Amino acid sequence: MKSYDVLMVLSNHLATVGNGRAIDRSAIPELSGQEFRQAILDAVASGERVASLFGVAEAQAEVVRLYVVLADDQDSRFRVGTTAVAGDRFTSLTPDCLQVHLFEREIAEQFGVKAEGHPWFKPVRYQASLRPGHDAWDRATNEPPLVGVTDFYRVEGEEVHEVAVGPVHAGIIEPGHFRFQCHGEHVFHLEISLGYQHRGVERAMLGGPNKRSIHYAETLSGDTTVGHSTAYCQVIEALAKCQKSARAQTLRGIALELERLANHVGDLGALSGDAGFLPTASYCGRIRGDFLNMTALICGSRFGRGMIRPGGIGFDVDQKMIDELLRRVAAGKKDCKSAIELLWNSASVMARFEDTGRVSPELAEELGLVGPAARASGLQRDARNDHPSGIFRFSHIPVAAWTSGDVFARAYVRWLEVQRSIEFVEEQLAALPGGAIQREVKDLAPNQLAISVIEGWRGELCHVALTDAAGRFERYKIVDPSFHNWMAVALALRGQQISDFPLCNKSFNLSYCGHDL
Amino acid sequence: MIKIALARLQQGHRTMRYPDGPAPEVPERFRGRPVFDASKCPDGCAACADACPTQAITINGTVKVDLGRCLFCTDCIRACPEGAVSYSQDYRLAVSNREDLIVAAGEELKLAHALDEKLMKLFGRSLKLRQVCAGGCGACEADVNVLQTVGWDLGRFGIQFVASPRHADGLLITGPVTENMRLALRKTYDAVPDPKIVIAVGACAISGGPFIDHDEVQNGAESLVPVDLYIPGSPPHPLTILDGLLRLLGRIDDRVHGQTSVPTPSAVRPPVGAPG
């Protein structure tokens, strides 16, 4: 812990930005490498989090510049600082600040700079460096990285064995590789190696916005179409100084909560299935579809494609549609209650859920977890509450948290959120404000940095854009909640039975494509 | 136990009667097959083609749309000054040949034909598929998964997703095939015993989708393996996917589920000329 005075001095080195706002890049203080490190360490020590930490290749591509976005959840603001990396290396902060571990590996991989002293210095997505000729692992430019080829952590010893799963999995799920170090059923260690879904979205965003940009946002993680497209549109609107109508903001909020409802209900059903309790599994599978169909009623797409557009929304609702939505939400509420409450009354389910895959509050804090996974470990962390934007500035959804940090907590937090989201949707539909659904979006301001944060159903979605002198994207950084949370899945498995992996994994239900971009 | 029984009573029986009964209703704003009314097109106008994020629309005398590239978004509708573009409620989109997905305005879509006699004998009553997600956003996977819920109950057609390529009769591929999934897809395909079929679901698996021509992707499954059934959409509706699978197995009776060849436009009319 640093003294209060030192903190105050260092705070002055960082620029302050609100959610959905932009600042001039010249207002972001330039720090030395040492000051940059210290600013992050001090901020984290005083309860702030690293929402984003990323690199930008400067015009000549010889210099890599780092930006940090620190979330001050208490005061609803973000603090931003920058530093230039001298040469092809920087000193890793991970040994002193665990939550930057993946960010540093990402910076190294994308820009070919070494994070010296990083305890697990490995690629993140197995992508080629964005700066040809600079590679953090000294590979030749014409030597493409081979996905999954790395030195996995190994436990040696008699009767210790390794279990390798994926990239192609047994069900209908995205690809990823899981390497377990086991002794019989007992898991000593799990390492998760991703990157199979990497399709180059951040690279493709450079020079934008263009006609594909919104579609990239919609497909960052298909189950979070509304969340990510809202985050993207908020960036555009911050840069174009565009004010949305109250009606558009409210309908965005309704779409976001419908997305949360569909996914949470689906997850509760899948968790039930993994515990071998079929009634809730089959009911929730169907009810999830009912919520998706409500989104489709508004915009024609079950995933909300086309719903969120810069300046507002793509589809309006009329009274007939509102009545139909209210009728369906009421039916969904009844079905959810009957299906989901069975879980908490079934001893066979509770025996599997309780004390499985526990993540302590301290670990959650240290890893910088977000979303239901953080709230299930007792952290009161919810961007709708901490950094409200749009309708959430006027209508507050109470934060749902639990403390046990196990599979039960991650399931129960979802059930609490389902109930609160239903309440919110009913309330908003009953009093929908008037106004245009879309307003004109002008050109983006040049030389700005804009931050947009949305509480998606998995947690915090953080988009940061830097514009160049022509108002085009010089960098577009996306952080899906999965990026923060994958490490927690690996650690939750320690000391567990390998047969509990599906249950633990489903209790987080993280995105592979949102991580791999 | 009583609570479980009561919940069972409340939830009721929800499996749809389709295809023996009517298809489940699609929403009013459903984006099925796109419809171009070429008679409204002013000379030299290419607003829809210019707005399309995936170059799915070409205008060379006639307007043609490549359903394999189409994201079923609303960019062309918004761009068209004459209101000549709309989406129909026709959910039937699956075809057997890639070129059949490129359709001119007013032209009928050549829907997928059933497997040949030999394959039908093998797979007609029991088709085991291995699903490979090869990039993309996970939405196609989600709506394939939906077919396994009680409402759709894919199992009643003898179609099942299996946990090993060795147990499979074919692959159902989603995603643009990222560079990082190329080897895994190849190995999975090789591990499926012959004869085998491949089904490409979604714009990504057919053409690369929004990621067309990225260095990091392969522009779809066909770049690596032969494809027998193409189901377009981004993502396709579960009904579109099921229709495709059932057509492949010769289990759709067009006398029951046929619609007019050029379907009537649906209610999708977002504000014209709005930015977007």
Side-chain angles (χ1 to χ4, degrees):
Chain A
M1 218 37 173
K2 296 285 168 247
S3 79
Y4 187 66
D5 293 354
V6 175
L7 258 175
M8 284 306 290
V9 172
L10 284 166
S11 306
N12 296 338
H13 283 276
L14 299 174
T16 302
V17 200
N19 188 13
R21 303 273 166 188
I23 50 164
D24 226 79
R25 285 174 72 171
S26 61
I28 303 167
E30 164 90 38
L31 307 177
S32 72
Q34 185 53 36
E35 285 170 332
F36 189 77
R37 273 177 75 81
Q38 201 57 47
I40 296 174
L41 288 176
D42 290 342
V44 169
S46 69
E48 293 181 29
R49 302 178 288 116
V50 178
S52 196
L53 173 63
F54 58 93
V56 183
E58 299 235 302
Q60 297 81 23
E62 284 312 305
V63 176
V64 175
R65 176 162 288 288
L66 304 186
Y67 282 85
V68 66
V69 176
L70 293 157
D72 180 350
D73 297 337
Q74 293 300 315
D75 292 334
S76 300
R77 59 179 189 165
F78 297 94
R79 300 193 309 129
V80 187
T82 180
T83 189
V85 176
D88 270 358
R89 56 196 65 230
F90 64 99
T91 310
S92 170
L93 197 54
T94 302
D96 300 313
C97 177
L98 185 55
Q99 55 183 283
V100 300
H101 73 102
L102 204 53
F103 286 112
E104 290 193 329
R105 285 166 58 186
E106 182 186 49
I107 290 166
E109 180 167 55
Q110 290 182 330
F111 297 98
V113 286
K114 289 187 170 73
E116 288 190 313
H118 194 296
W120 318 287
F121 193 54
K122 304 174 186 185
V124 179
R125 307 186 177 98
Y126 301 88
Q127 66 177 94
S129 166
L130 297 174
R131 289 197 310 153
H134 299 266
D135 186 278
W137 292 275
D138 301 318
R139 295 168 301 203
T141 306
N142 56 5
E143 192 187 318
L146 293 172
V147 66
V149 177
T150 187
D151 55 333
F152 287 95
Y153 183 81
R154 284 190 77 143
V155 177
E156 303 285 350
E158 218 175 314
E159 292 183 12
V160 171
H161 65 278
E162 193 175 62
V163 179
V165 182
V168 185
H169 296 300
I172 304 179
I173 27 172
E174 299 178 67
H177 183 74
F178 298 78
R179 198 72 75 98
F180 299 86
Q181 309 295 318
C182 299
H183 184 251
E185 278 279 292
H186 185 94
V187 178
F188 287 128
H189 181 79
L190 161 63
E191 188 166 346
I192 302 171
S193 184
L194 303 177
Y196 298 90
Q197 298 271 61
H198 178 61
R199 52 214 185 279
V201 178
E202 282 191 356
R203 190 180 57 76
M205 288 294 273
L206 299 177
N210 56 41
K211 56 189 181 181
R212 277 205 204 170
S213 307
I214 181 79
H215 301 284
Y216 289 133
E218 288 189 329
T219 53
L220 288 170
S221 182
D223 50 25
T224 315
T225 296
V226 173
H228 271 300
S229 53
T230 306
Y232 167 77
C233 289
Q234 275 191 182
V235 163
I236 297 292
E237 289 146 9
L239 292 167
K241 305 242 178 311
C242 169
Q243 189 72 38
K244 286 94 58 191
S245 73
R247 187 176 185 83
Q249 294 188 14
T250 309
L251 281 164
R252 278 186 183 182
I254 290 170
L256 186 71
E257 295 312 308
L258 285 176
E259 185 167 87
R260 191 180 322 277
L261 282 163
N263 284 293
H264 278 6
V265 170
D267 281 354
L268 286 164
L271 277 167
S272 180
D274 279 342
F277 186 67
L278 297 184
T280 303
S282 51
Y283 307 148
C284 283
R286 174 184 60 77
I287 304 166
R288 169 183 172 275
D290 292 345
F291 284 113
L292 291 176
N293 288 339
M294 291 181 215
T295 302
L297 183 72
I298 302 176
C299 69
S301 157
R302 287 155 54 87
F303 294 86
R305 300 277 157 91
M307 180 64 197
I308 314 293
R309 283 295 175 269
I313 49 171
F315 294 87
D316 203 356
V317 293
D318 56 19
Q319 193 53 48
K320 192 173 137 239
M321 202 174 271
I322 292 173
D323 294 341
E324 174 63 12
L325 280 169
L326 283 168
R327 191 190 66 74
R328 292 198 198 180
V329 172
K333 186 178 175 175
K334 206 169 139 215
D335 284 350
C336 280
K337 193 172 159 57
S338 119
I340 295 167
E341 286 193 339
L342 286 181
L343 291 174
W344 329 126
N345 290 311
S346 301
S348 64
V349 172
M350 291 301 278
R352 290 291 306 279
F353 280 14
E354 284 182 320
D355 287 326
T356 305
R358 193 166 178 276
V359 176
S360 70
E362 296 75 30
L363 182 61
E365 180 87 59
E366 208 182 344
L367 287 171
L369 297 194
V370 293
R375 297 192 281 278
S377 290
L379 304 186
Q380 303 277 333
R381 190 172 279 176
D382 186 329
R384 290 172 295 175
N385 186 67
D386 305 335
H387 304 279
S389 58
I391 179 66
F392 300 106
R393 285 173 298 158
F394 310 107
S395 180
H396 301 284
I397 297 181
V399 179
W402 200 254
T403 51
S404 54
D406 50 7
V407 170
F408 167 74
R410 289 186 284 276
Y412 198 67
V413 162
R414 285 182 169 92
W415 170 228
L416 295 174
E417 293 187 10
V418 162
Q419 297 170 73
R420 285 163 188 186
S421 293
I422 287 176
E423 233 168 81
F424 171 88
V425 170
E426 287 185 323
E427 209 176 281
Q428 298 305 319
L429 280 173
L432 207 56
I437 59 163
Q438 202 170 27
R439 293 211 173 122
E440 198 194 339
V441 180
K442 297 200 168 64
D443 288 344
L444 309 193
N447 300 315
Q448 301 281 304
L449 175 143
I451 298 176
S452 165
V453 162
I454 290 288
E455 186 72 17
W457 64 273
R458 263 193 202 96
E460 181 178 278
L461 315 164
C462 176
H463 289 211
V464 180
L466 289 166
T467 55
D468 61 15
R472 315 302 300 178
F473 294 144
E474 186 174 312
R475 179 77 165 104
Y476 196 93
K477 179 75 208 113
I478 300 144
V479 184
D480 186 85
S482 311
F483 195 80
H484 294 286
N485 288 3
W486 268 114
M487 190 62 164
V489 179
L491 295 181
L493 247 284
R494 283 199 177 171
Q496 301 287 308
Q497 302 240 310
I498 193 168
S499 49
D500 274 335
F501 173 68
L503 192 64
C504 279
N505 190 32
K506 185 53 80 176
S507 73
F508 288 91
N509 192 12
L510 302 178
S511 169
Y512 299 73
C513 52
H515 171 280
D516 291 347
L517 300 176
Chain B
M1 194 60 211
I2 288 222
K3 280 180 178 158
I4 295 175
L6 286 174
R8 180 71 194 80
L9 278 175
Q10 196 214 309
Q11 302 279 348
H13 177 269
R14 307 290 191 116
T15 305
M16 63 184 64
R17 287 188 57 235
Y18 176 83
D20 296 333
E25 225 176 281
V26 292
E28 198 182 318
R29 290 172 172 175
F30 177 70
R31 284 175 247 150
R33 196 183 145 193
V35 181
F36 289 80
D37 182 354
S39 67
K40 289 185 183 168
C41 295
D43 279 347
C45 176
C48 55
D50 292 343
C52 181
T54 53
Q55 296 92 47
I57 305 168
T58 49
I59 302 174
N60 270 337
T62 49
V63 183
K64 282 187 179 174
V65 59
D66 181 351
L67 296 177
R69 280 175 167 253
C70 181
L71 300 183
F72 295 77
C73 70
T74 52
D75 294 353
C76 49
I77 299 179
R78 287 157 171 268
C80 179
E82 301 296 328
V85 195
S86 60
Y87 281 102
S88 76
Q89 299 245 311
D90 192 355
Y91 60 85
R92 305 166 310 153
L93 296 166
V95 303
S96 299
N97 302 299
R98 177 68 182 89
E99 59 273 16
D100 291 345
L101 287 173
I102 303 168
V103 279
E107 194 188 350
E108 201 169 334
L109 183 63
K110 287 191 203 80
L111 293 170
H113 56 70
L115 292 168
D116 66 34
E117 206 178 331
K118 186 179 151 235
L119 286 178
M120 192 66 98
K121 214 170 166 190
L122 286 168
F123 304 145
R125 289 160 63 87
S126 163
L127 179 64
K128 308 292 171 196
L129 296 170
R130 172 78 159 160
Q131 203 274 326
V132 181
C133 168
C137 76
C140 290
E141 292 78 355
D143 265 352
V144 169
N145 245 328
V146 160
L147 296 178
Q148 304 193 87
T149 62
V150 288
W152 299 85
D153 191 17
L154 192 62
R156 66 196 155 120
F157 306 110
I159 307 172
Q160 200 184 12
F161 291 96
V162 292
S164 164
R166 299 281 189 215
H167 304 158
D169 303 317
L171 299 181
L172 186 148
I173 302 171
T174 52
V177 186
T178 56
E179 195 53 41
N180 285 351
M181 270 306 284
R182 200 156 50 95
L183 182 63
L185 175 60
R186 182 80 240 174
K187 283 188 172 178
T188 307
Y189 178 79
D190 289 343
V192 176
D194 282 321
K196 52 194 161 190
I197 57 168
V198 172
I199 301 164
V201 172
C204 288
I206 298 174
S207 68
F211 316 109
I212 289 176
D213 295 338
H214 282 198
D215 292 346
E216 295 86 350
V217 308
Q218 301 286 324
N219 284 355
E222 210 163 34
S223 59
L224 212 61
V225 294
V227 176
D228 301 282
L229 180 69
Y230 302 81
I231 306 178
S234 185
H237 192 276
L239 185 55
T240 304
I241 304 171
L242 182 58
D243 170 77
L245 294 174
L246 294 182
R247 274 175 201 281
L248 190 73
L249 299 181
R251 299 180 74 153
I252 285 279
D253 186 348
D254 265 322
R255 286 166 303 182
V256 180
H257 299 288
Q259 298 189 1
T260 50
S261 55
V262 179
T264 47
S266 72
V268 182
R269 288 293 316 153
V272 169

